[in-house]
């Protein structure tokens, strides 16, 4: 609603998502996340922040600043999820297992996105938090074995 046409909105969102993915990989490459525990904690925190401020009124801000803030809020969880994925891939026992888990998670997330019609958009943040917490626990249990 901020940017106007569908093409502008789509291209802006794709730009922010790609920048988040690139940033996550650069952050992991430069060892900004010393452990996946820190990455998962910041991911869960970013989901809570996004849940809290998604529908905050930012109409009083200049348009460019509003787009930047909303874009950052939108992709902050994507940035930390990308860092978690990169860390798991880097430290995982098997790249095919990590990649297949990521693909299954992406497909499940796409399917669960439709639950927003029933539960509301903000509920997706809580649902994503529960699923990422489950993924964190599962990755820890896998390492114990």
């Amino acid at each position: 609603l901020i940017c106007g046409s569908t093409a502008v909105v789509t291209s802006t969102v794709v730009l922010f998502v790609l920048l988040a993915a690139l940033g996550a990989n650069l952050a992991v490459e430069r060892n900004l996340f010393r452990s996946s525990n820190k990455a998962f904690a910041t991911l869960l925190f970013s989901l809570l922040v996004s849940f809290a401020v998604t529908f905050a009124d930012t109409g009083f801000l200049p348009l460019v600043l509003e787009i930047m803030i909303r874009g950052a809020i939108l992709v902050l969880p994507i940035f930390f999820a990308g860092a978690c994925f990169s860390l798991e891939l880097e430290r995982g026992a098997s790249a095919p297992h990590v990649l297949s888990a990521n693909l299954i998670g992406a497909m499940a997330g796409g399917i669960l996105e439709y639950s927003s019609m029933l539960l509301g958009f903000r509920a997706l943040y809580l649902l994503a938090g529960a699923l990422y917490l489950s993924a964190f626990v599962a990755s820890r249990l896998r390492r114990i074995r």
Side-chain angles (χ1 to χ4, degrees):
L1 294 174
I2 297 170
C3 298
S5 72
T6 302
V8 174
V9 170
T10 302
S11 60
T12 304
V13 169
V14 168
L15 172 68
F16 275 98
V17 168
L18 291 175
L19 288 174
L22 176 64
N25 285 312
L26 291 174
V28 169
E29 181 182 357
R30 292 192 168 85
N31 291 324
L32 297 180
F33 295 100
R34 304 263 185 260
S35 72
S36 57
N37 292 347
K38 182 178 178 183
F40 271 105
T42 52
L43 169 60
L44 293 174
F45 180 73
S46 71
L47 287 167
L48 286 175
V49 168
S50 296
F51 174 80
V53 300
T54 293
F55 293 114
D57 182 23
T58 56
F60 60 91
L61 296 171
L63 182 61
V64 172
L65 185 59
E66 185 177 13
I67 292 169
M68 297 297 283
I69 290 171
R70 292 226 177 249
I73 290 169
L74 176 71
V75 299
L76 196 60
I78 295 170
F79 170 79
F80 291 117
C84 291
F85 170 74
S86 293
L87 286 168
E88 288 297 315
L89 187 59
E90 180 179 79
R91 297 180 181 137
S94 166
H97 287 107
V98 176
L99 290 168
S100 63
N102 186 58
L103 182 59
I104 291 169
M107 289 187 302
I111 292 168
L112 290 173
E113 184 179 2
Y114 283 101
S115 68
S116 68
M117 290 185 238
L118 177 64
L119 303 173
F121 183 73
R122 289 182 68 207
L124 290 180
Y125 288 114
L126 301 176
L127 184 58
L131 291 172
Y132 278 119
L133 188 58
S134 299
F136 174 73
V137 170
S139 75
R140 294 305 166 264
L141 291 175
R142 180 179 51 87
R143 287 186 186 164
I144 291 173
R145 288 192 227 164

